[in-house]
Amino acid sequence: MIVGLFMAPLLSLKPNRLMPGDPGYLIDIAPLNDILLVLSLLVLFLIFANLLSWNKHLKLFMCLILSAIFYKIITISGDVALVRSEADFLARTAFTTGFWLFVAGYIVVMMQAFATVIEKKYDIKLLIILLTIAPVGLLFFNGGVGEISIFKELMSKQDRFLLEFKNHLLISGSASFSAILIGIPLGIYSFRHQRLSERIFGLLNIVQTIPSIALFGFLIAPFAWLASKSDFLDSVGFSGIGFAPAITALILYGLLPIVRNTYAGISSIDPSVVESAKGMGMTSGQILIKIQLPVSMPLLMNGIRVSFVQCIGNTAVAALVGAGGFGLFIFQGLGQSAVDMVLLCAIPTILLAVFADTIMQFIIKLTSPKGMDYDTD
Amino acid sequence: MIQIKNLTKNYNDYAAVKDISLDIKKGELCVMIGPSGCGKSTTLKVLNRLETPTEGSVFINGEDISNIDPVILRRGIGYVIQNVGLFPHMTASENIATVPQLLKWDKNKIGERVEYLLNLVGLEPFEYSKKYPAELSGGEAQRVGVARALAADPEVLLMDEPFGALDPITRSELQRSLVKIQSELKKTILFVTHDIDEAILLADMVVLMKDGEIVQSGSPTQMLEFPVNKFVRDFVGTDRALKRLSLTKVETFCKPAPYVSLNTDISNAVEMIDNGIYIWVVDENEKPCGWLDAYMDEPTGFVKDYCTIDSFENFTVSKKQSVKEALNKMIKSGVNQLVVVDGDERLLGEISIDDIIQKS
Amino acid sequence: MILFKRADKKLFLMLFALMLFAILPELLMPLYKATAKIGQDLVYSRAPILSLLVEHIWLTLFSSGLSAIFGIMLGVLVTTKAGEDFKQVVTMFGSIGQTLPPVAVLAIAAGFVGYGTKPTLIALFLYGLFPIIAGTIAGLNAVGRDIILAAEGMGMTESQIFLKVKLPLAAEVIIAGVRTSVVINIGTATIGAAIGAGGLGAPIMAGLINDNFPFIIQGGVAVGLLAVFTDRLISLFEMRIRAYRT
Ligand SMILES: Nc1ncnc2c1ncn2[C@@H]1O[C@H](COP(=O)(O)OP(=O)(O)O)[C@@H](O)[C@H]1O
Ligand SMILES: [Mg+2]
């Protein structure tokens, strides 16, 4: 982290959007008192980190110091960007290796702090999360930051960005939703027909194993053929590229975790529980609704979590068959070597996946029946 | 109440139950016993239609059960199994309330019923109603299992080795609870076990099975006294005589015994010692409280000055206790006779080890 | 044993199909003819499928091999007394890492290191690390307390316990982690073609861009067979370990 801050260039000072820039080291670009401030904060942090080694009460204080350093670095960068773009409006100032190394270290330290908080202390955990993202939030109050390349990129593509964001959510949401609608009954079906279940799992396993991009590709021709054969399908926008093959492939991908976990959840129930339910006069429908599904809920929801998170990532690949979403910018950016554009969408994709994962973990906790401590992993 | 007529059940080609017939009267506890794999569980499962008979039929209350919708049938029959099978995501109360809810009982009625049942099976409702199965011990879980089976007040109860998985102490606690519950509710119970002591303790009628067939059926005493063949003899064990003692009540061997009160003059008392060794002493309520030894040097005064008063529970048995328990007490206390009391703890007579040995 | 023999035969058939197809992609010519647009090339000609396959295998093997070495080492380290402090953060790292979309990781690597094989290798290495770390920690954690206690009671030293008890018992779960990692990496390496990493993704990418379905089939069939074959191969290995253990 410290290496990143001082040894590697913090910013890349580019003459324009696409040309490579000159390295800008923190020492060179920042005013002296800012450097001193950052340095003294760092020293403070190191003293705490080493001497007091993660003492409970100082953990929060340390996170605060680190958070402050992060904020300071961003504002320094913002100021530099502002000055440069006032001088030459084509000039771009971009974050580079040093900055990202710092961010990586920053996240690791914050995670370490987070991970060592005792399980039940939700307020402290929340505080750490807030401290971690606060510097980014504070950015909006600093004029210069808008002049940093990646944010400039965001401003100039704001509408498209929002559109693809919506697309991304729409595609992965509808694919996941369909996968749930198909996957749960399929899981129940495989439990009830053990003979067929082997085949179902064999097939789904192969689908999961085939690289996503190949699966997307495979679906193009059949879909194009279908569209060419049926005027109706053609008229509703069904074609070889776009939503239809993307969503189909995503659903196929999403099935395995859901089907597998539904099956595993129901199988994990002690047979005597089902026998006594039956002996008490429950119909098989009642047994499913009142016993089997609720008891397997944690495992089932975990399957949905894996499926959904995976789907968000695969949706980015779906852009290759013209489905839209963040993947569109990522691949476009890669094609044009426009790093900022790539990052602009790759980072939100990651955040989206991590966010979805967190939300799902939370939902799993909520929907797990009381009285059972399940290990969902 | 339950009639099984020529019941045969085949799994593929294997005959698990072969042509058995059985009548169980209303309010009777019938224990089905036999080595594992002899078809006990299968027979039980035919009764609530978890299995379909290959041949033969079963009547409950005179109605052929094959004409009753299995779901309806099962709601009217309590079913308790060895592994309990409590629903892990429901509290004890919710587990017990399951069938009443299926039957759409009124909410208040269900609440009252659950509380009554928890008390009945010996679980304090306040403490246990909100507990989840994971928080219960094996014995507590099976108590809830029994309560759940009794929830909708079924006439018939099927119990498949319900106490088989419990440790001996917990098992005998639950057996005693079951005896108490049965004396209160008088259900018609078909109880499966492979433990002969459990069978003798609980049964009104015992049915001994082997390889899918009934070898012998009858009262526990009959089974012990007149085993039909070597298999039955072996199964009930070499200690048949002892087992029978556990079925015989103390009153059978009780004979009158002289006694004196605490305030009797000692010289009168000594005259009353007719066996030449001792005489029982009772207090003003005729409750035995000690004995008087025959060997005394020139006694004067009252009985209470000479009476040996010990912790006297060790020397008394109730007439309703089994002879086996009386024997246990004699051995523990190192005496040859005990004083027998009636329900009001008044002296009734005595029981002696010689009489037991001679008469049984 | 019969089960293994049958599985082996299937595996061998798959390998044979893969090799045959890599050498002679023309085998599916009727399919190409049926799906190609008029005037399109029918067979990807920039590089033979076989050499792309070799490239692909090299990419995955190299990166996954490194991931396996580092991942297992890290997983082992944090489950020892010395590394206990970092166990939670590394576990968290492993599980969060698995939620990261591979495309995004690849794209970011390209953003920093530039195009070609290097960023792909870095991304594959990093991305492949997570399932292996998670698998190693899970596998070692799953070894029962009483087993370790029994081993201690027999007078085994810490390193003996690790080598003779923990590692063999955890091996199955660790290998499962490696399998996940390798299979994911085969898929991610395919996307690597978008940043010029070569491999079997190249014909697929070319096909997608030029709307040339035969190219997609050539890359897709080869990479699909490779992935399924590898998955089966490592599963077989897992099964052997399980059978050996019981
Ligand atoms: N579903 C089944 N399929 C095949 N055989 C069975 C089945 N259930 C029980 N059996 C066989 O029937 C015989 C009697 O079983 P059971 O009634 O469970 O014996 P137990 O007296 O121990 O309760 C056993 O030999 C058992 O293997
Ligand atoms: Mg049985």
Side-chain angles (χ1 to χ4, degrees):
Chain A
M1 190 169 68
I2 298 166
V3 173
L5 215 44
F6 292 97
M7 313 298 257
L10 179 70
L11 298 174
S12 172
L13 316 170
K14 300 195 250 183
N16 64 38
R17 178 165 171 257
L18 296 177
M19 295 277 283
D22 300 326
Y25 293 88
L26 179 63
I27 316 252
D28 301 334
I29 54 174
L32 187 64
N33 46 0
D34 276 350
I35 296 177
L36 285 181
L37 181 63
V38 169
L39 260 180
S40 52
L41 280 173
L42 261 179
V43 168
L44 204 59
F45 170 75
L46 284 178
I47 289 172
F48 277 128
N50 288 323
L51 294 187
L52 301 162
S53 72
W54 299 113
N55 178 301
K56 264 183 227 158
H57 303 286
L58 288 162
K59 205 182 298 173
L60 277 176
F61 189 55
M62 272 172 26
C63 291
L64 185 69
I65 296 176
L66 211 56
S67 191
I69 298 176
F70 189 33
Y71 177 68
K72 197 66 218 161
I73 286 171
I74 299 174
T75 47
I76 292 171
S77 309
D79 294 343
V80 173
L82 194 62
V83 172
R84 286 189 71 235
S85 59
E86 268 166 6
D88 170 8
F89 86 106
L90 267 181
R92 286 268 183 144
T93 311
F95 290 127
T96 185
T97 327
F99 177 79
W100 297 116
L101 275 177
F102 174 81
V103 170
Y106 178 74
I107 291 175
V108 169
V109 174
M110 289 305 203
M111 258 168 67
Q112 165 79 23
F114 186 83
T116 48
V117 174
I118 304 155
E119 188 68 36
K120 293 273 161 52
K121 299 243 172 173
Y122 292 114
D123 45 345
I124 296 190
K125 286 195 169 182
L126 193 69
L127 220 66
I128 294 182
I129 295 179
L130 279 180
L131 276 178
T132 311
I133 51 177
V136 185
L138 289 172
L139 291 182
F140 293 105
F141 301 103
N142 184 302
V145 172
E147 296 302 322
I148 297 173
S149 191
I150 188 165
F151 297 103
K152 233 176 170 169
E153 192 80 21
L154 175 62
M155 300 304 171
S156 71
K157 293 204 169 57
Q158 202 172 21
D159 294 341
R160 287 281 317 274
F161 179 84
L162 284 177
L163 178 73
E164 296 309 343
F165 179 53
K166 242 166 53 192
N167 271 341
H168 203 106
L169 281 182
L170 191 70
I171 296 170
S172 32
S174 51
S176 285
F177 190 66
S178 318
I180 294 169
L181 286 189
I182 303 170
I184 294 178
L186 198 58
I188 297 168
Y189 181 86
S190 7
F191 177 75
R192 292 190 176 170
H193 302 81
Q194 296 281 344
R195 280 256 194 88
L196 276 173
S197 75
E198 254 174 62
R199 294 207 172 172
I200 293 174
F201 283 117
L203 207 69
L204 289 179
N205 203 16
I206 289 180
V207 170
Q208 272 270 314
T209 313
I210 297 174
S212 52
I213 183 170
L215 192 67
F216 284 118
F218 284 152
L219 289 177
I220 290 181
F223 272 78
W225 181 79
L226 273 178
S228 73
K229 288 290 168 203
S230 155
D231 289 340
F232 168 71
L233 287 178
D234 202 27
S235 67
V236 294
F238 195 91
S239 76
I241 54 165
F243 272 100
I247 292 220
T248 310
L250 289 173
I251 292 173
L252 283 174
Y253 262 120
L255 280 180
L256 182 68
I258 297 177
V259 178
R260 186 182 42 201
N261 282 33
T262 306
Y263 177 91
I266 298 180
S267 312
S268 72
I269 300 173
D270 185 348
S272 67
V273 169
V274 177
E275 189 193 328
S276 61
K278 209 173 159 190
M280 290 162 78
M282 286 195 180
T283 62
S284 58
Q286 285 168 333
I287 295 179
L288 184 68
I289 305 275
K290 294 195 172 175
I291 312 291
Q292 289 172 316
L293 285 183
V295 175
S296 41
M297 195 51 89
L299 265 176
L300 200 161
M301 291 301 286
N302 203 43
I304 293 179
R305 173 183 73 88
V306 172
S307 170
F308 185 41
V309 169
Q310 192 178 285
C311 187
I312 289 175
N314 280 331
T315 303
V317 183
L320 285 173
V321 292
F326 282 141
L328 199 65
F329 277 175
I330 296 179
F331 286 110
Q332 246 176 42
L334 284 173
Q336 302 172 359
S337 312
V339 177
D340 289 328
M341 190 165 159
V342 171
L343 291 183
L344 185 63
C345 285
I347 292 174
T349 313
I350 290 178
L351 290 181
L352 200 58
V354 174
F355 181 69
D357 189 69
T358 315
I359 292 279
M360 285 302 296
Q361 306 261 25
F362 183 67
I363 294 179
I364 290 174
K365 280 223 172 88
L366 277 188
T367 54
S368 294
K370 276 191 216 151
M372 302 168 55
D373 33 355
Y374 245 113
D375 203 1
T376 46
D377 286 324
Chain B
M1 178 86 202
I2 302 175
Q3 284 163 298
I4 301 175
K5 285 192 179 157
N6 303 99
L7 176 71
T8 298
K9 172 70 190 175
N10 295 344
Y11 289 113
N12 305 319
D13 284 338
Y14 177 77
V17 175
K18 300 171 197 160
D19 192 30
I20 70 169
S21 296
L22 188 64
D23 255 355
I24 303 170
K25 291 191 207 70
K26 194 173 166 63
E28 198 173 60
L29 197 159
C30 172
V31 174
M32 198 175 251
I33 188 167
S36 102
C38 71
K40 306 180 297 282
S41 300
T42 307
T43 311
L44 216 63
K45 284 181 189 164
V46 168
L47 291 191
N48 62 4
R49 295 195 60 183
L50 286 174
E51 299 283 1
T52 328
T54 313
E55 266 169 55
S57 44
V58 176
F59 297 86
I60 292 181
N61 269 337
E63 197 175 352
D64 188 339
I65 60 164
S66 63
N67 296 329
I68 308 174
D69 177 1
V71 167
I72 307 286
L73 174 77
R74 289 172 196 152
R75 287 178 190 174
I77 298 179
Y79 187 48
V80 187
I81 55 179
Q82 179 171 354
N83 293 326
V84 196
L86 291 183
F87 307 138
H89 60 307
M90 296 182 185
T91 60
S93 302
E94 288 163 347
N95 263 287
I96 297 171
T98 309
V99 178
Q101 269 164 3
L102 290 176
L103 295 172
K104 308 222 160 41
W105 282 15
D106 175 69
K107 244 199 178 139
N108 293 330
K109 192 177 159 197
I110 295 180
E112 283 165 22
R113 181 77 188 154
V114 168
E115 196 175 331
Y116 164 76
L117 286 166
L118 278 170
N119 277 321
L120 182 73
V121 297
L123 297 174
E124 168 58 41
F126 182 75
E127 188 184 345
Y128 285 94
S129 64
K130 290 278 167 289
K131 282 201 175 175
Y132 284 95
E135 301 164 317
L136 299 174
S137 72
E140 289 162 353
Q142 193 56 290
R143 284 175 194 273
V144 175
V146 172
R148 186 174 67 169
L150 288 169
D153 207 13
E155 284 186 72
V156 176
L157 211 57
L158 304 178
M159 308 181 85
D160 193 348
E161 304 194 24
F163 310 142
L166 303 174
D167 66 87
I169 293 173
T170 315
R171 189 186 314 155
S172 69
E173 276 172 18
L174 266 94
Q175 287 166 349
R176 261 180 276 143
S177 295
L178 182 64
V179 169
K180 196 189 114 225
I181 292 169
Q182 173 65 354
S183 69
E184 237 173 86
L185 302 182
K186 291 272 177 264
K187 299 283 176 195
T188 308
I189 303 179
L190 185 52
F191 187 105
V192 164
T193 181
H194 56 238
D195 176 357
I196 184 74
D197 293 308
E198 185 168 74
I200 288 169
L201 180 75
L202 298 174
D204 297 314
M205 173 164 80
V206 181
V207 176
L208 179 57
M209 286 182 69
K210 183 194 175 202
D211 297 337
E213 289 170 325
I214 295 179
V215 186
Q216 184 176 1
S217 65
S219 73
T221 331
Q222 271 175 336
M223 197 78 104
L224 291 170
E225 275 181 50
F226 312 109
V228 293
N229 59 22
K230 184 169 182 311
F231 174 75
V232 183
R233 251 196 316 277
D234 289 347
F235 198 86
V236 297
T238 44
D239 54 347
R240 272 192 299 137
L242 258 180
K243 286 205 173 92
R244 216 158 64 225
L245 289 182
S246 66
L247 287 172
T248 318
K249 299 271 185 290
V250 164
E251 54 193 342
T252 331
F253 290 100
C254 176
K255 62 170 193 244
Y259 58 90
V260 292
S261 131
L262 280 170
N263 294 322
T264 317
D265 190 87
I266 192 75
S267 48
N268 295 344
V270 170
E271 279 168 25
M272 285 177 70
I273 304 180
D274 58 358
N275 59 12
I277 308 172
Y278 67 92
I279 188 167
W280 300 111
V281 179
V282 297
D283 62 13
E284 52 278 13
N285 300 322
E286 292 200 20
K287 187 181 164 189
C289 62
W291 72 86
L292 196 64
D293 279 315
Y295 310 104
M296 287 172 285
D297 288 333
E298 295 172 21
T300 52
F302 297 98
V303 167
K304 59 178 173 224
D305 304 323
Y306 291 89
C307 167
T308 314
I309 300 178
D310 228 305
S311 57
F312 210 63
E313 299 85 65
N314 291 338
F315 301 95
T316 50
V317 285
S318 146
K319 64 174 185 179
K320 289 288 174 216
Q321 279 180 289
S322 74
V323 175
K324 194 174 166 190
E325 283 170 291
L327 271 177
N328 269 340
K329 221 167 211 178
M330 289 182 199
I331 292 165
K332 225 168 71 188
S333 315
V335 294
N336 287 337
Q337 49 278 107
L338 298 173
V339 52
V340 178
V341 296
D342 63 10
D344 300 326
E345 298 200 37
R346 280 208 304 266
L347 188 141
L348 203 67
E350 66 177 17
I351 182 171
S352 81
I353 199 161
D354 299 333
D355 292 341
I356 296 171
I357 291 168
Q358 275 160 29
K359 289 186 200 161
S360 61
Chain C
M1 282 325 266
I2 290 169
L3 186 99
F4 286 159
K5 292 251 169 65
R6 255 185 29 214
D8 283 350
K9 210 180 267 173
K10 242 185 177 169
L11 206 65
F12 183 74
L13 266 175
M14 239 184 284
L15 181 63
F16 181 73
L18 175 62
M19 293 317 288
L20 193 68
F21 184 79
I23 296 166
L24 267 180
E26 288 86 356
L27 279 174
L28 297 180
M29 198 50 111
L31 186 60
Y32 307 154
K33 283 197 174 135
T35 52
K37 298 218 169 71
I38 303 149
Q40 278 184 335
D41 284 346
L42 292 180
V43 178
Y44 187 71
S45 52
R46 224 169 300 164
I49 297 292
L50 186 63
S51 72
L52 290 176
L53 174 68
V54 171
E55 207 171 47
H56 206 101
I57 293 176
W58 182 84
L59 266 177
T60 356
L61 219 56
F62 187 76
S63 56
S64 287
L66 280 184
S67 311
I69 294 170
F70 281 94
I72 294 175
M73 262 179 10
L74 199 59
V76 166
L77 218 66
V78 296
T79 41
T80 59
K81 280 224 175 64
E84 220 172 7
D85 287 350
F86 297 95
K87 186 168 170 182
Q88 274 163 313
V89 74
V90 171
T91 311
M92 210 162 120
F93 201 63
S95 67
I96 290 186
Q98 281 184 295
T99 67
L100 303 181
V103 193
V105 175
L106 203 64
I108 290 177
F112 288 117
V113 191
Y115 288 22
T117 315
K118 215 167 82 182
T120 311
L121 278 176
I122 292 176
L124 291 185
F125 162 69
L126 276 179
Y127 199 71
L129 216 51
F130 304 124
I132 296 178
I133 293 176
T136 308
I137 294 179
L140 289 173
N141 268 350
V143 179
R145 273 249 147 270
D146 32 358
I147 295 181
I148 294 170
L149 221 58
E152 276 172 354
M154 286 160 68
M156 285 191 177
T157 64
E158 186 136 350
S159 61
Q160 281 170 332
I161 291 177
F162 178 75
L163 284 176
K164 296 195 172 162
V165 182
K166 279 188 177 177
L167 206 55
L169 285 176
E172 191 189 329
V173 184
I174 297 178
I175 303 276
V178 173
R179 177 168 56 96
T180 313
S181 158
V182 172
V183 171
I184 290 178
N185 273 357
I186 291 177
T188 313
T190 320
I191 305 171
I195 56 170
L200 289 166
I204 301 180
M205 212 55 85
L208 286 172
I209 292 167
N210 303 321
D211 212 4
N212 181 324
F213 196 67
F215 286 4
I216 297 177
I217 296 184
Q218 282 148 41
V221 167
V223 82
L225 276 172
L226 176 66
V228 175
F229 167 78
T230 314
D231 184 59
R232 285 279 161 86
L233 183 72
I234 307 179
S235 315
L236 198 69
F237 196 56
E238 276 170 53
M239 260 155 68
R240 286 262 158 94
I241 290 178
R242 196 179 322 159
Y244 168 78
R245 230 179 51 188
T246 48

